[in-house]
Each structure stands twice: as structure tokens, then as C-alpha cells.
Amino acid sequence: MNEKKAIRRALIAALKADVDVAALVGGRIYSNVPDTRVYPYLRFGPIQSVEDDAEGLRSFEVNVQIDAFSRAEGVVEVEDLLAAARAAIHKVDLTLAGDYRLIVGRVVSDRQFSQRDGETAQGILTYEADIQEGPCA
């Protein structure tokens, strides 16, 4: 287990447990999207971790990209999905697996646009987490 897996698992659990997210995507929250995809859905994109040790504690700043995809007309469904995802994870106290502890997690940005195929709307939500490794003080 590393800090990236720990935050990804916690975010997936929080998103799947949220009634508003579930109403929009059901359980369609993926790291790897199946070929038989059904819209709308959420996909975990790149996750970047930067070590930020301070005061003798091993800590990380982890940035997670969560993508929303829809084939409904326009970007309204993607906007609704981003809003539901934001409400489910922004400044929520998530429990992390392993020896990791979430200090703070927040959504720092989101945006939406139409893809070049003219059928698919995409949204990108960026989540930033400050994580410490080791026993709680």
C-alpha cells in the first residue's frame, strides 16, 4: 500500500457511498474503463504524489484527477456530476488504509468541455490531499 492507493480507495468508497453520485452513475466509477462502457461514469485519471516531509514526519501532497463523462446533450449532466462528486469529497474526513492519515482533502478545481467527437462531454475535477504516514500523534 502506498499513499496514492490509499487515497484512491478512500475516494472511490466515498463516491460510491454518496446518494447523489450514485443517482447519476450508479457504480460506474473506474480506474480502467471497460470497453462496454455505459454513460455517464467517473474515471480516475493521473495521480501525482510529492513528498513533503516536515518536523520529522513523512508527509505527501497528493493530487488526484477525476474525470466525468456523459453523452447527454450539452454539458449539464457533467456539471451535475462534478457538483455531486465535489459535495461527496470536498473537506470530508476520509479514512485511509494502511499507515496513512488524511490531514485535509479538498477539491481545488473543476472544468467541463465537449470532446472533439461532438457526442461526449467531459469534466475534470482536481482533488488535493495532504497525507501523513505513520501513527497518529
Side-chain angles (χ1 to χ4, degrees), residues 36-77:
T36 57
R37 75 192 96 214
V38 174
Y39 293 85
Y41 64 89
L42 292 174
R43 176 189 72 191
F44 276 74
I47 299 178
Q48 176 185 353
S49 178
V50 177
E51 199 159 339
D52 185 26
D53 295 345
E55 299 176 23
L57 298 171
R58 190 162 185 222
S59 59
F60 305 90
E61 182 179 293
V62 181
N63 291 289
V64 181
Q65 178 178 312
I66 302 172
D67 300 313
F69 293 91
S70 170
R71 287 255 169 114
E73 187 172 331
V75 296
V76 174
E77 188 173 54

mmCIF file of all heavy atoms in Angstrom, residues 36-77:
data_model
loop_
_atom_site.group_PDB
_atom_site.id
_atom_site.type_symbol
_atom_site.label_atom_id
_atom_site.label_comp_id
_atom_site.label_asym_id
_atom_site.label_seq_id
_atom_site.Cartn_x
_atom_site.Cartn_y
_atom_site.Cartn_z
ATOM 1 N N THR A 36 -17.093 -1.953 -22.749
ATOM 2 C CA THR A 36 -18.559 -1.916 -22.805
ATOM 3 C C THR A 36 -19.119 -0.823 -21.905
ATOM 4 O O THR A 36 -20.118 -1.026 -21.226
ATOM 5 C CB THR A 36 -19.125 -3.290 -22.376
ATOM 6 O OG1 THR A 36 -18.639 -3.578 -21.068
ATOM 7 C CG2 THR A 36 -18.728 -4.380 -23.338
ATOM 8 N N ARG A 37 -18.476 0.327 -21.913
ATOM 9 C CA ARG A 37 -18.851 1.427 -21.015
ATOM 10 C C ARG A 37 -20.287 1.897 -21.251
ATOM 11 O O ARG A 37 -20.793 1.868 -22.365
ATOM 12 C CB ARG A 37 -17.882 2.573 -21.160
ATOM 13 C CG ARG A 37 -18.079 3.388 -22.436
ATOM 14 C CD ARG A 37 -16.934 4.328 -22.692
ATOM 15 N NE ARG A 37 -16.029 3.656 -23.613
ATOM 16 C CZ ARG A 37 -14.723 3.793 -23.611
ATOM 17 N NH1 ARG A 37 -14.137 4.596 -22.780
ATOM 18 N NH2 ARG A 37 -13.988 3.152 -24.473
ATOM 19 N N VAL A 38 -20.888 2.321 -20.155
ATOM 20 C CA VAL A 38 -22.215 2.919 -20.161
ATOM 21 C C VAL A 38 -22.044 4.322 -19.578
ATOM 22 O O VAL A 38 -21.366 4.506 -18.576
ATOM 23 C CB VAL A 38 -23.200 2.096 -19.292
ATOM 24 C CG1 VAL A 38 -24.546 2.790 -19.184
ATOM 25 C CG2 VAL A 38 -23.358 0.683 -19.870
ATOM 26 N N TYR A 39 -22.649 5.296 -20.215
ATOM 27 C CA TYR A 39 -22.565 6.688 -19.771
ATOM 28 C C TYR A 39 -23.727 7.007 -18.855
ATOM 29 O O TYR A 39 -24.791 6.416 -19.008
ATOM 30 C CB TYR A 39 -22.570 7.630 -20.972
ATOM 31 C CG TYR A 39 -21.351 7.524 -21.837
ATOM 32 C CD1 TYR A 39 -21.272 6.568 -22.847
ATOM 33 C CD2 TYR A 39 -20.275 8.367 -21.653
ATOM 34 C CE1 TYR A 39 -20.139 6.472 -23.645
ATOM 35 C CE2 TYR A 39 -19.151 8.288 -22.443
ATOM 36 C CZ TYR A 39 -19.095 7.336 -23.436
ATOM 37 O OH TYR A 39 -17.978 7.243 -24.231
ATOM 38 N N PRO A 40 -23.583 7.948 -17.948
ATOM 39 C CA PRO A 40 -22.362 8.646 -17.545
ATOM 40 C C PRO A 40 -21.535 7.783 -16.595
ATOM 41 O O PRO A 40 -22.029 6.817 -16.017
ATOM 42 C CB PRO A 40 -22.880 9.885 -16.816
ATOM 43 C CG PRO A 40 -24.178 9.431 -16.223
ATOM 44 C CD PRO A 40 -24.756 8.441 -17.205
ATOM 45 N N TYR A 41 -20.262 8.183 -16.419
ATOM 46 C CA TYR A 41 -19.389 7.481 -15.482
ATOM 47 C C TYR A 41 -18.275 8.411 -15.022
ATOM 48 O O TYR A 41 -18.038 9.459 -15.610
ATOM 49 C CB TYR A 41 -18.806 6.202 -16.110
ATOM 50 C CG TYR A 41 -17.897 6.415 -17.293
ATOM 51 C CD1 TYR A 41 -16.525 6.607 -17.125
ATOM 52 C CD2 TYR A 41 -18.401 6.407 -18.597
ATOM 53 C CE1 TYR A 41 -15.691 6.791 -18.216
ATOM 54 C CE2 TYR A 41 -17.573 6.584 -19.690
ATOM 55 C CZ TYR A 41 -16.220 6.771 -19.501
ATOM 56 O OH TYR A 41 -15.385 6.960 -20.580
ATOM 57 N N LEU A 42 -17.609 7.971 -13.944
ATOM 58 C CA LEU A 42 -16.426 8.655 -13.430
ATOM 59 C C LEU A 42 -15.215 7.774 -13.660
ATOM 60 O O LEU A 42 -15.315 6.543 -13.564
ATOM 61 C CB LEU A 42 -16.543 8.924 -11.928
ATOM 62 C CG LEU A 42 -17.591 9.927 -11.476
ATOM 63 C CD1 LEU A 42 -17.674 9.960 -9.954
ATOM 64 C CD2 LEU A 42 -17.265 11.315 -12.007
ATOM 65 N N ARG A 43 -14.081 8.404 -13.950
ATOM 66 C CA ARG A 43 -12.820 7.676 -14.146
ATOM 67 C C ARG A 43 -11.719 8.397 -13.380
ATOM 68 O O ARG A 43 -11.596 9.624 -13.460
ATOM 69 C CB ARG A 43 -12.450 7.632 -15.622
ATOM 70 C CG ARG A 43 -11.093 6.954 -15.858
ATOM 71 C CD ARG A 43 -10.633 7.092 -17.283
ATOM 72 N NE ARG A 43 -10.219 8.484 -17.520
ATOM 73 C CZ ARG A 43 -9.957 8.987 -18.708
ATOM 74 N NH1 ARG A 43 -10.073 8.256 -19.785
ATOM 75 N NH2 ARG A 43 -9.600 10.241 -18.834
ATOM 76 N N PHE A 44 -10.916 7.607 -12.677
ATOM 77 C CA PHE A 44 -9.750 8.178 -12.020
ATOM 78 C C PHE A 44 -8.642 8.330 -13.037
ATOM 79 O O PHE A 44 -8.281 7.371 -13.721
ATOM 80 C CB PHE A 44 -9.304 7.305 -10.838
ATOM 81 C CG PHE A 44 -10.080 7.611 -9.605
ATOM 82 C CD1 PHE A 44 -11.392 7.192 -9.478
ATOM 83 C CD2 PHE A 44 -9.529 8.373 -8.595
ATOM 84 C CE1 PHE A 44 -12.136 7.502 -8.362
ATOM 85 C CE2 PHE A 44 -10.263 8.695 -7.460
ATOM 86 C CZ PHE A 44 -11.574 8.255 -7.348
ATOM 87 N N GLY A 45 -8.124 9.546 -13.159
ATOM 88 C CA GLY A 45 -7.034 9.845 -14.073
ATOM 89 C C GLY A 45 -5.709 9.831 -13.334
ATOM 90 O O GLY A 45 -5.545 9.120 -12.337
ATOM 91 N N PRO A 46 -4.775 10.650 -13.774
ATOM 92 C CA PRO A 46 -3.446 10.677 -13.158
ATOM 93 C C PRO A 46 -3.499 11.063 -11.678
ATOM 94 O O PRO A 46 -4.328 11.862 -11.260
ATOM 95 C CB PRO A 46 -2.691 11.750 -13.955
ATOM 96 C CG PRO A 46 -3.470 11.932 -15.213
ATOM 97 C CD PRO A 46 -4.888 11.576 -14.901
ATOM 98 N N ILE A 47 -2.606 10.448 -10.921
ATOM 99 C CA ILE A 47 -2.432 10.777 -9.508
ATOM 100 C C ILE A 47 -0.961 11.099 -9.305
ATOM 101 O O ILE A 47 -0.095 10.294 -9.645
ATOM 102 C CB ILE A 47 -2.863 9.619 -8.592
ATOM 103 C CG1 ILE A 47 -4.347 9.298 -8.811
ATOM 104 C CG2 ILE A 47 -2.590 9.959 -7.123
ATOM 105 C CD1 ILE A 47 -4.856 8.134 -7.987
ATOM 106 N N GLN A 48 -0.701 12.285 -8.779
ATOM 107 C CA GLN A 48 0.676 12.726 -8.548
ATOM 108 C C GLN A 48 0.899 12.873 -7.057
ATOM 109 O O GLN A 48 0.073 13.427 -6.335
ATOM 110 C CB GLN A 48 0.919 14.062 -9.231
ATOM 111 C CG GLN A 48 2.297 14.630 -8.947
ATOM 112 C CD GLN A 48 2.491 16.014 -9.538
ATOM 113 O OE1 GLN A 48 1.663 16.521 -10.269
ATOM 114 N NE2 GLN A 48 3.601 16.629 -9.211
ATOM 115 N N SER A 49 2.030 12.372 -6.589
ATOM 116 C CA SER A 49 2.386 12.474 -5.174
ATOM 117 C C SER A 49 3.737 13.153 -5.049
ATOM 118 O O SER A 49 4.701 12.789 -5.725
ATOM 119 C CB SER A 49 2.446 11.072 -4.552
ATOM 120 O OG SER A 49 2.842 11.156 -3.210
ATOM 121 N N VAL A 50 3.797 14.160 -4.175
ATOM 122 C CA VAL A 50 5.040 14.868 -3.897
ATOM 123 C C VAL A 50 5.323 14.732 -2.409
ATOM 124 O O VAL A 50 4.477 15.083 -1.578
ATOM 125 C CB VAL A 50 4.933 16.362 -4.279
ATOM 126 C CG1 VAL A 50 6.211 17.103 -3.918
ATOM 127 C CG2 VAL A 50 4.605 16.514 -5.754
ATOM 128 N N GLU A 51 6.495 14.196 -2.081
ATOM 129 C CA GLU A 51 6.858 14.036 -0.679
ATOM 130 C C GLU A 51 7.158 15.412 -0.089
ATOM 131 O O GLU A 51 7.817 16.232 -0.697
ATOM 132 C CB GLU A 51 8.054 13.104 -0.544
ATOM 133 C CG GLU A 51 8.196 12.540 0.836
ATOM 134 C CD GLU A 51 9.031 11.273 0.896
ATOM 135 O OE1 GLU A 51 9.189 10.583 -0.122
ATOM 136 O OE2 GLU A 51 9.533 11.006 1.984
ATOM 137 N N ASP A 52 6.648 15.630 1.109
ATOM 138 C CA ASP A 52 6.756 16.940 1.751
ATOM 139 C C ASP A 52 6.995 16.733 3.245
ATOM 140 O O ASP A 52 6.145 17.022 4.072
ATOM 141 C CB ASP A 52 5.463 17.732 1.516
ATOM 142 C CG ASP A 52 5.543 19.140 2.058
ATOM 143 O OD1 ASP A 52 6.652 19.679 2.163
ATOM 144 O OD2 ASP A 52 4.478 19.701 2.384
ATOM 145 N N ASP A 53 8.158 16.175 3.579
ATOM 146 C CA ASP A 53 8.476 15.865 4.970
ATOM 147 C C ASP A 53 8.669 17.153 5.775
ATOM 148 O O ASP A 53 9.296 18.096 5.317
ATOM 149 C CB ASP A 53 9.745 15.021 5.073
ATOM 150 C CG ASP A 53 9.560 13.653 4.439
ATOM 151 O OD1 ASP A 53 8.406 13.276 4.186
ATOM 152 O OD2 ASP A 53 10.567 12.972 4.193
ATOM 153 N N ALA A 54 8.114 17.134 6.968
ATOM 154 C CA ALA A 54 8.256 18.284 7.864
ATOM 155 C C ALA A 54 8.219 17.790 9.304
ATOM 156 O O ALA A 54 7.480 16.862 9.624
ATOM 157 C CB ALA A 54 7.125 19.281 7.627
ATOM 158 N N GLU A 55 9.017 18.413 10.133
ATOM 159 C CA GLU A 55 9.021 18.117 11.558
ATOM 160 C C GLU A 55 9.190 16.625 11.857
ATOM 161 O O GLU A 55 8.553 16.084 12.760
ATOM 162 C CB GLU A 55 7.746 18.638 12.204
ATOM 163 C CG GLU A 55 7.575 20.136 12.078
ATOM 164 C CD GLU A 55 6.263 20.621 12.646
ATOM 165 O OE1 GLU A 55 5.687 19.917 13.494
ATOM 166 O OE2 GLU A 55 5.812 21.686 12.234
ATOM 167 N N GLY A 56 10.004 15.940 11.073
ATOM 168 C CA GLY A 56 10.274 14.538 11.313
ATOM 169 C C GLY A 56 9.164 13.596 10.909
ATOM 170 O O GLY A 56 9.230 12.397 11.169
ATOM 171 N N LEU A 57 8.105 14.099 10.274
ATOM 172 C CA LEU A 57 7.000 13.271 9.816
ATOM 173 C C LEU A 57 7.073 13.099 8.313
ATOM 174 O O LEU A 57 7.393 14.043 7.594
ATOM 175 C CB LEU A 57 5.658 13.920 10.173
ATOM 176 C CG LEU A 57 5.367 14.112 11.654
ATOM 177 C CD1 LEU A 57 4.124 14.957 11.830
ATOM 178 C CD2 LEU A 57 5.217 12.764 12.340
ATOM 179 N N ARG A 58 6.783 11.900 7.845
ATOM 180 C CA ARG A 58 6.737 11.667 6.402
ATOM 181 C C ARG A 58 5.351 12.067 5.922
ATOM 182 O O ARG A 58 4.341 11.534 6.386
ATOM 183 C CB ARG A 58 7.008 10.198 6.098
ATOM 184 C CG ARG A 58 7.205 9.940 4.642
ATOM 185 C CD ARG A 58 7.886 8.620 4.394
ATOM 186 N NE ARG A 58 8.150 8.501 2.970
ATOM 187 C CZ ARG A 58 7.967 7.408 2.286
ATOM 188 N NH1 ARG A 58 7.567 6.299 2.877
ATOM 189 N NH2 ARG A 58 8.219 7.388 0.993
ATOM 190 N N SER A 59 5.305 13.034 5.031
ATOM 191 C CA SER A 59 4.016 13.509 4.536
ATOM 192 C C SER A 59 4.067 13.701 3.031
ATOM 193 O O SER A 59 5.140 13.766 2.428
ATOM 194 C CB SER A 59 3.609 14.801 5.243
ATOM 195 O OG SER A 59 4.577 15.804 5.030
ATOM 196 N N PHE A 60 2.879 13.786 2.442
ATOM 197 C CA PHE A 60 2.744 13.858 0.986
ATOM 198 C C PHE A 60 1.653 14.847 0.619
ATOM 199 O O PHE A 60 0.649 14.974 1.325
ATOM 200 C CB PHE A 60 2.336 12.491 0.410
ATOM 201 C CG PHE A 60 3.256 11.379 0.793
ATOM 202 C CD1 PHE A 60 3.033 10.640 1.943
ATOM 203 C CD2 PHE A 60 4.346 11.051 -0.004
ATOM 204 C CE1 PHE A 60 3.879 9.606 2.307
ATOM 205 C CE2 PHE A 60 5.198 10.019 0.354
ATOM 206 C CZ PHE A 60 4.959 9.291 1.516
ATOM 207 N N GLU A 61 1.862 15.515 -0.504
ATOM 208 C CA GLU A 61 0.780 16.253 -1.146
ATOM 209 C C GLU A 61 0.416 15.430 -2.377
ATOM 210 O O GLU A 61 1.261 15.204 -3.245
ATOM 211 C CB GLU A 61 1.217 17.655 -1.562
ATOM 212 C CG GLU A 61 0.087 18.441 -2.195
ATOM 213 C CD GLU A 61 0.512 19.841 -2.591
ATOM 214 O OE1 GLU A 61 0.800 20.642 -1.694
ATOM 215 O OE2 GLU A 61 0.549 20.108 -3.810
ATOM 216 N N VAL A 62 -0.828 14.963 -2.416
ATOM 217 C CA VAL A 62 -1.270 14.083 -3.498
ATOM 218 C C VAL A 62 -2.361 14.797 -4.280
ATOM 219 O O VAL A 62 -3.348 15.273 -3.710
ATOM 220 C CB VAL A 62 -1.793 12.738 -2.944
ATOM 221 C CG1 VAL A 62 -2.215 11.822 -4.087
ATOM 222 C CG2 VAL A 62 -0.728 12.056 -2.094
ATOM 223 N N ASN A 63 -2.180 14.882 -5.594
ATOM 224 C CA ASN A 63 -3.173 15.467 -6.488
ATOM 225 C C ASN A 63 -3.807 14.365 -7.320
ATOM 226 O O ASN A 63 -3.098 13.570 -7.941
ATOM 227 C CB ASN A 63 -2.533 16.508 -7.407
ATOM 228 C CG ASN A 63 -2.096 17.727 -6.639
ATOM 229 O OD1 ASN A 63 -2.925 18.494 -6.189
ATOM 230 N ND2 ASN A 63 -0.796 17.878 -6.455
ATOM 231 N N VAL A 64 -5.138 14.338 -7.308
ATOM 232 C CA VAL A 64 -5.901 13.292 -7.981
ATOM 233 C C VAL A 64 -6.798 13.944 -9.026
ATOM 234 O O VAL A 64 -7.517 14.902 -8.715
ATOM 235 C CB VAL A 64 -6.781 12.518 -6.972
ATOM 236 C CG1 VAL A 64 -7.551 11.404 -7.670
ATOM 237 C CG2 VAL A 64 -5.932 11.963 -5.824
ATOM 238 N N GLN A 65 -6.770 13.413 -10.231
ATOM 239 C CA GLN A 65 -7.680 13.875 -11.284
ATOM 240 C C GLN A 65 -8.813 12.872 -11.405
ATOM 241 O O GLN A 65 -8.576 11.669 -11.554
ATOM 242 C CB GLN A 65 -6.958 14.002 -12.619
ATOM 243 C CG GLN A 65 -7.873 14.430 -13.762
ATOM 244 C CD GLN A 65 -7.122 14.599 -15.060
ATOM 245 O OE1 GLN A 65 -6.075 15.236 -15.099
ATOM 246 N NE2 GLN A 65 -7.655 14.025 -16.133
ATOM 247 N N ILE A 66 -10.042 13.367 -11.324
ATOM 248 C CA ILE A 66 -11.229 12.538 -11.507
ATOM 249 C C ILE A 66 -11.975 13.090 -12.712
ATOM 250 O O ILE A 66 -12.327 14.273 -12.744
ATOM 251 C CB ILE A 66 -12.123 12.550 -10.254
ATOM 252 C CG1 ILE A 66 -11.330 12.061 -9.042
ATOM 253 C CG2 ILE A 66 -13.366 11.684 -10.484
ATOM 254 C CD1 ILE A 66 -12.057 12.224 -7.721
ATOM 255 N N ASP A 67 -12.192 12.238 -13.711
ATOM 256 C CA ASP A 67 -12.865 12.643 -14.940
ATOM 257 C C ASP A 67 -14.308 12.175 -14.929
ATOM 258 O O ASP A 67 -14.607 11.066 -14.489
ATOM 259 C CB ASP A 67 -12.166 12.024 -16.160
ATOM 260 C CG ASP A 67 -10.721 12.450 -16.281
ATOM 261 O OD1 ASP A 67 -10.447 13.642 -16.163
ATOM 262 O OD2 ASP A 67 -9.858 11.573 -16.497
ATOM 263 N N ALA A 68 -15.202 13.015 -15.423
ATOM 264 C CA ALA A 68 -16.614 12.674 -15.588
ATOM 265 C C ALA A 68 -16.916 12.666 -17.085
ATOM 266 O O ALA A 68 -16.460 13.557 -17.810
ATOM 267 C CB ALA A 68 -17.489 13.698 -14.879
ATOM 268 N N PHE A 69 -17.677 11.681 -17.532
ATOM 269 C CA PHE A 69 -18.030 11.572 -18.948
ATOM 270 C C PHE A 69 -19.528 11.381 -19.090
ATOM 271 O O PHE A 69 -20.146 10.641 -18.322
ATOM 272 C CB PHE A 69 -17.319 10.384 -19.601
ATOM 273 C CG PHE A 69 -15.836 10.549 -19.687
ATOM 274 C CD1 PHE A 69 -15.020 10.098 -18.675
ATOM 275 C CD2 PHE A 69 -15.253 11.165 -20.787
ATOM 276 C CE1 PHE A 69 -13.642 10.247 -18.740
ATOM 277 C CE2 PHE A 69 -13.886 11.316 -20.862
ATOM 278 C CZ PHE A 69 -13.079 10.858 -19.838
ATOM 279 N N SER A 70 -20.112 12.057 -20.085
ATOM 280 C CA SER A 70 -21.543 11.964 -20.347
ATOM 281 C C SER A 70 -21.788 12.050 -21.853
ATOM 282 O O SER A 70 -21.004 12.680 -22.576
ATOM 283 C CB SER A 70 -22.276 13.117 -19.658
ATOM 284 O OG SER A 70 -23.623 13.173 -20.075
ATOM 285 N N ARG A 71 -22.865 11.423 -22.294
ATOM 286 C CA ARG A 71 -23.298 11.551 -23.682
ATOM 287 C C ARG A 71 -24.653 12.247 -23.766
ATOM 288 O O ARG A 71 -25.262 12.282 -24.830
ATOM 289 C CB ARG A 71 -23.366 10.176 -24.354
ATOM 290 C CG ARG A 71 -21.987 9.590 -24.641
ATOM 291 C CD ARG A 71 -21.685 9.684 -26.111
ATOM 292 N NE ARG A 71 -20.321 9.379 -26.426
ATOM 293 C CZ ARG A 71 -19.926 8.321 -27.134
ATOM 294 N NH1 ARG A 71 -20.802 7.427 -27.532
ATOM 295 N NH2 ARG A 71 -18.658 8.169 -27.430
ATOM 296 N N ALA A 72 -25.121 12.797 -22.641
ATOM 297 C CA ALA A 72 -26.351 13.581 -22.668
ATOM 298 C C ALA A 72 -26.068 14.874 -23.424
ATOM 299 O O ALA A 72 -24.923 15.321 -23.512
ATOM 300 C CB ALA A 72 -26.814 13.884 -21.246
ATOM 301 N N GLU A 73 -27.107 15.477 -23.958
ATOM 302 C CA GLU A 73 -26.917 16.698 -24.743
ATOM 303 C C GLU A 73 -26.346 17.810 -23.870
ATOM 304 O O GLU A 73 -26.788 18.038 -22.752
ATOM 305 C CB GLU A 73 -28.261 17.140 -25.339
ATOM 306 C CG GLU A 73 -28.114 18.294 -26.304
ATOM 307 C CD GLU A 73 -29.405 18.596 -27.035
ATOM 308 O OE1 GLU A 73 -30.211 17.676 -27.235
ATOM 309 O OE2 GLU A 73 -29.577 19.762 -27.395
ATOM 310 N N GLY A 74 -25.332 18.479 -24.380
ATOM 311 C CA GLY A 74 -24.708 19.584 -23.658
ATOM 312 C C GLY A 74 -23.825 19.092 -22.525
ATOM 313 O O GLY A 74 -23.461 17.920 -22.458
ATOM 314 N N VAL A 75 -23.487 20.004 -21.617
ATOM 315 C CA VAL A 75 -22.598 19.662 -20.504
ATOM 316 C C VAL A 75 -23.317 19.655 -19.155
ATOM 317 O O VAL A 75 -22.686 19.494 -18.118
ATOM 318 C CB VAL A 75 -21.381 20.627 -20.444
ATOM 319 C CG1 VAL A 75 -20.510 20.496 -21.671
ATOM 320 C CG2 VAL A 75 -21.827 22.061 -20.220
ATOM 321 N N VAL A 76 -24.649 19.785 -19.161
ATOM 322 C CA VAL A 76 -25.401 19.887 -17.909
ATOM 323 C C VAL A 76 -25.214 18.642 -17.047
ATOM 324 O O VAL A 76 -24.990 18.755 -15.831
ATOM 325 C CB VAL A 76 -26.902 20.143 -18.184
ATOM 326 C CG1 VAL A 76 -27.707 20.093 -16.899
ATOM 327 C CG2 VAL A 76 -27.073 21.487 -18.870
ATOM 328 N N GLU A 77 -25.283 17.442 -17.620
ATOM 329 C CA GLU A 77 -25.124 16.230 -16.817
ATOM 330 C C GLU A 77 -23.723 16.152 -16.214
ATOM 331 O O GLU A 77 -23.561 15.756 -15.055
ATOM 332 C CB GLU A 77 -25.418 14.986 -17.655
ATOM 333 C CG GLU A 77 -25.449 13.714 -16.821
ATOM 334 C CD GLU A 77 -25.909 12.512 -17.613
ATOM 335 O OE1 GLU A 77 -25.317 12.237 -18.685
ATOM 336 O OE2 GLU A 77 -26.843 11.844 -17.162
#
